[in-house]
Amino acid sequence: MNTRPVIDESHGPVSLSASFNSDVSCFSVGTDTGFCVFNSDPCALQVSRLLNAGIGIAEMLGNYNYLALVGGGKNPRWPQTKVIIWDDAKKKEAVTLEHKTAVLRVRLTRTHIAVALVNAVHLYAFSSPPTRIAAFETADNHLGLCCLASKLLAFPGRSPGKIQIVELKTQNVSIIPAHASSLRALDLSQDESLLASASETGTLIRVISTANCAKLAELRRGVDPAFIFSIAISPDSNTLAVTSDKSTLHIFDLTQLPGRPPPSPAARSPNNSARRRSQSPQVSSPAVDDEPPSNKWGFFSKIPLLPRIFSDTYSFASIHFEMGDEAMTNDSSLKYLPALGSLPTRPMKGIIGWQDNATILVIGTGRDGRWERFRIGDRVIQQGQEEVVRKDVWKDGWKRYLGS
């Protein structure tokens, strides 16, 4: 009987985590041997640092030479309770922040550092040395959810489903009852006016105004529960993208939210983009011209007393993205240890970055670390003798950025 252990015949480093920088011009990858920085589009390796040990978190500070590093994998470079601010210009540690429990996520701006632990978020001033400003208690936050911008900090509340928003200047805290179950994903828009969230159920995405904490929209990803991988709002705050373990990228229109200015003719709403190209005189037809494609059920959405799934707002476009075979397992067959802040038996997948208002990048980690690019634009659909133009999404390129 052969009792020898199975030899791992794979070659190359394994990506444990991946994260876009603030303007999505680059993304950083923590590996089981160090870390790398890639140009986002085109996808190209810019920096590779061999540390001979695992990095579970590699978070960039914009386009500066500083990164926040946390040990990870089976052989962590540093204890996972430490945050190392790495100066890549000098190729050495600049600052160390120590905590009593494992660090699950780090967010950086030029003025602040946010560190997410399983039951707390610590906020520091980015000074030399960094000084702790505050510590906020949270419900169990095993995914390390945390959003940090120039004015606001957002993270889970003290009870499941709630969100805390902190004004960095005044330290005022707002509590938002966003969901009935624990949070799975958060994202702040670039102008910090919108906050999008999803729960562990994964069927609804809620969009909230940060100005008054009012719910602006409820977007339906689907009817079946799903694990939401990532949520990201476009730079102009007019579109929202969502990925899940259904291996689907959904695109939602946000231009119809209350209080939003009407879109310009050059950036028309995806939900109002059904336009006829007929040579005959145009006749208004609500069934074709005025019915947004996101009203999935058409006439049924207007009938009262039907279940809410008939009247909910759906994505105006969706497309498959690649997760790789290793993402399809929920057992312990992985031959490496994923980073803290991710599922213990599944690598991070479906991480979204908006390159611009019409270009979405999706990256994943693991042995099959992939980069994919998707475009959003008008497509002409033939309907009888007429051509109808609708917003759609399509894949425009992909590659394996790291690994075998």
Side-chain angles (χ1 to χ4, degrees):
M1 178 172 151
N2 185 2
T3 58
R4 292 177 298 176
V6 175
I7 297 176
D8 185 2
E9 297 180 348
S10 61
H11 300 284
V14 176
S15 54
L16 302 178
S17 69
S19 177
F20 288 101
N21 67 345
S22 56
D23 64 0
V24 195
S25 60
C26 301
F27 65 94
S28 51
V29 176
T31 74
D32 59 351
T33 59
F35 70 91
C36 303
V37 175
F38 291 82
N39 185 68
S40 288
D41 194 9
C43 180
L45 179 65
Q46 299 293 314
V47 173
S48 179
R49 300 288 179 247
L50 181 63
L51 302 178
N52 296 315
I55 298 297
I57 296 173
E59 183 79 15
M60 298 179 65
L61 173 59
N63 291 300
Y64 295 93
N65 292 318
Y66 292 100
L67 296 93
L69 304 179
V70 179
K74 293 183 178 180
N75 180 32
R77 176 64 179 82
W78 297 282
Q80 292 172 298
T81 56
K82 288 186 178 181
V83 176
I84 305 298
I85 305 299
W86 177 270
D87 184 347
D88 200 59
K90 298 179 180 179
K91 298 181 178 60
K92 68 175 186 178
E93 305 170 26
V95 173
T96 300
L97 301 175
E98 297 194 24
H99 301 84
K100 294 181 179 180
T101 58
V103 174
L104 304 180
R105 194 80 65 208
V106 183
R107 299 300 188 197
L108 301 174
T109 67
R110 289 185 298 173
T111 57
H112 292 86
I113 304 170
V115 179
L117 312 177
V118 70
N119 288 118
V121 170
H122 292 218
L123 180 65
Y124 297 85
F126 204 148
S127 54
S128 183
T131 56
R132 195 174 79 169
I133 298 173
F136 304 94
E137 183 181 348
T138 70
D140 288 348
N141 182 20
H142 296 288
L143 297 179
L145 300 180
C146 180
C147 298
L148 177 64
S150 60
K151 299 177 183 178
L152 299 176
L153 171 66
F155 50 89
R158 295 184 179 183
S159 55
K162 292 186 178 179
I163 302 172
Q164 299 185 66
I165 299 180
V166 179
E167 295 180 19
L168 298 178
K169 185 176 181 179
T170 63
Q171 298 297 301
N172 290 337
V173 180
S174 300
I175 308 296
I176 302 171
H179 300 272
S181 57
S182 298
L183 299 176
R184 274 279 161 82
L186 283 175
D187 186 55
L188 269 171
S189 60
Q190 285 193 11
D191 62 6
E192 303 180 54
S193 65
L194 302 177
L195 176 68
S197 65
S199 74
E200 62 184 6
T201 305
T203 54
L204 296 174
I205 295 90
R206 293 194 166 97
V207 181
I208 297 162
S209 167
T210 59
N212 56 15
C213 300
K215 185 180 74 175
L216 299 179
E218 199 167 75
L219 312 173
R220 181 167 287 277
R221 180 210 56 80
V223 178
D224 296 332
F227 189 99
I228 300 297
F229 288 147
S230 180
I231 294 177
I233 300 171
S234 63
D236 63 4
S237 300
N238 285 337
T239 318
L240 182 145
V242 179
T243 55
S244 72
D245 64 354
K246 302 293 186 181
S247 199
T248 304
L249 167 67
H250 288 271
I251 315 295
F252 295 86
D253 174 38
L254 299 183
T255 58
Q256 305 301 314
L257 298 184
R260 300 297 306 282
S264 63
R268 294 192 59 180
S269 162
N271 284 358
N272 291 326
S273 59
R275 302 187 295 276
R276 292 172 179 262
R277 288 188 175 183
S278 173
Q279 298 298 324
S280 59
Q282 296 188 11
V283 179
S284 176
S285 173
V288 177
D289 289 286
D290 299 329
E291 188 68 50
S294 61
N295 284 347
K296 180 177 180 179
W297 301 100
F299 169 75
F300 290 99
S301 66
K302 305 183 187 306
I303 300 178
L305 303 180
L306 286 180
R308 57 175 294 176
I309 62 170
F310 289 97
S311 57
D312 281 343
T313 300
Y314 288 78
S315 58
F316 68 82
S318 63
I319 192 170
H320 174 83
F321 73 92
E322 293 295 335
M323 294 199 304
D325 293 338
E326 62 185 349
M328 305 307 292
T329 179
N330 282 317
D331 58 29
S332 57
S333 62
L334 291 181
K335 295 181 175 62
Y336 59 92
L337 185 64
L340 294 176
S342 61
L343 292 178
T345 59
R346 177 186 291 171
M348 296 179 178
K349 300 292 181 180
I351 303 164
I352 302 172
W354 285 87
Q355 180 73 12
D356 54 49
N357 293 319
T359 306
I360 298 173
L361 305 179
V362 178
I363 56 177
T365 66
R367 294 205 182 279
D368 186 21
R370 298 193 184 206
W371 168 96
E372 296 175 275
R373 180 176 59 217
F374 300 89
R375 305 283 191 188
I376 300 174
D378 289 337
R379 278 194 168 179
V380 179
I381 301 173
Q382 193 73 31
Q383 291 188 352
Q385 297 181 347
E386 297 174 340
E387 292 180 338
V388 176
V389 181
R390 293 194 187 278
K391 287 286 185 181
D392 200 2
V393 60
W394 60 91
K395 185 184 292 190
D396 190 43
W398 77 276
K399 71 179 293 187
R400 287 184 174 91
Y401 65 83
L402 192 68
S404 56

